[in-house]
Amino acid sequence: MELTKKTHACVRLEKDGRTLVIDPGVFSEPDAAVGADAILVTHEHMDHFDEGRLRAGMEASPGAEIWTLAAVADQISAAFPGRVHTVGEGDAFTAAGFDIEVHGQLHAVIHPDIPRITNVGYLIDGGTVFHPGDALTVPEDRTVDTLLLPVHAPWNKVAEVIDYLRAVTPRRAIDIHDSLLQDHARPVYDGMIDKLGGTDHGRLAPGAGTTLG
């Protein structure tokens, strides 16, 4: 399986000639979902769900389908009848040849005065890679090889990121949710996560890729 990092929280996964895209939001490239056979969306926030990017992907590939939670499906399903599927925690399905499990229910707490919305994470191919969306979900009774790590957000701090890595214990972690992190801060984050996270940790520039599994 090949992973290509897109800007912010979006990634593209390719296997056996088919492509799966997760979370094409407003910070990701306009064509982030173009060429996808399947698209997954973790939640409704704009940096993970942008209707224009989803439409571009769906219109470019008439056979493409979307799997997401109800809050997103309700906004896009009318435009693509029969091609948008609603999922929730505990569901398992196959999309574009990838085996997917759904883990998690709620977005991380941003502030006690802000109501929590729904959020799901996607475990791909038995734990080859896990995308948690905007939550620090630990997939229950599952081993994760590569964790896509939400390294910087209004809802987290570096201590929580480190403790999350320790809880999941992946073989390696790759940063996502990083477009608000300034370049001069990256060595600070990298140094602390590398020293305290307990696993191989790295980041990819947008457009760069790596082999998983």
Side-chain angles (χ1 to χ4, degrees), residues 49 66-79 84-87:
F49 160 53
I66 296 171
W67 281 262
T68 186
L69 38 65
V72 173
D74 290 347
Q75 298 182 55
I76 196 74
S77 58
V84 180
H85 311 281
T86 302
V87 298

Side-chain angles (χ1 to χ4, degrees), residues 142-188:
R142 294 291 185 271
T143 298
V144 176
D145 186 73
T146 297
L147 174 66
L148 300 179
L149 183 67
V151 69
H152 180 264
W155 49 266
N156 73 15
K157 59 184 180 181
V158 71
E160 295 171 330
V161 173
I162 291 166
D163 286 346
Y164 182 50
L165 262 182
R166 292 176 172 182
V168 178
T169 63
R171 182 180 64 84
R172 68 171 174 175
I174 297 173
D175 287 351
I176 59 168
H177 214 287
D178 55 357
S179 66
L180 299 181
L181 186 62
Q182 295 293 314
D183 287 344
H184 62 261
R186 287 186 178 273
V188 178

Side-chain angles (χ1 to χ4, degrees), residues 10-26:
C10 182
V11 297
R12 292 175 69 99
L13 301 174
E14 298 180 59
K15 183 183 71 171
D16 299 331
R18 307 189 75 186
T19 300
L20 174 70
V21 172
I22 307 176
D23 278 2
V26 296

Side-chain angles (χ1 to χ4, degrees), residues 190-208:
D190 289 345
M192 287 189 286
I193 295 170
D194 291 346
K195 181 179 179 179
L196 299 173
T199 192
D200 180 39
H201 162 255
R203 51 188 171 89
L204 297 170

Side-chain angles (χ1 to χ4, degrees), residues 28-116:
S28 58
E29 294 74 5
D31 63 350
V34 173
D37 299 291
I39 304 168
L40 309 180
V41 180
T42 63
H43 66 288
E44 63 193 280
H45 283 161
M46 66 176 186
D47 55 328
H48 297 256
F49 160 53
D50 177 66
E51 184 172 339
R53 284 162 173 76
L54 286 182
R55 285 179 175 270
M58 295 290 277
E59 291 168 358
S61 302
E65 298 178 74
I66 296 171
W67 281 262
T68 186
L69 38 65
V72 173
D74 290 347
Q75 298 182 55
I76 196 74
S77 58
F80 302 101
R83 298 171 63 191
V84 180
H85 311 281
T86 302
V87 298
E89 184 177 40
D91 288 341
F93 57 95
T94 299
F98 295 84
D99 294 324
I100 301 163
E101 296 179 10
V102 183
H103 293 264
Q105 300 182 44
L106 291 172
H107 193 288
V109 174
I110 302 171
H111 187 276
D113 290 348
I114 299 176
R116 295 175 75 183

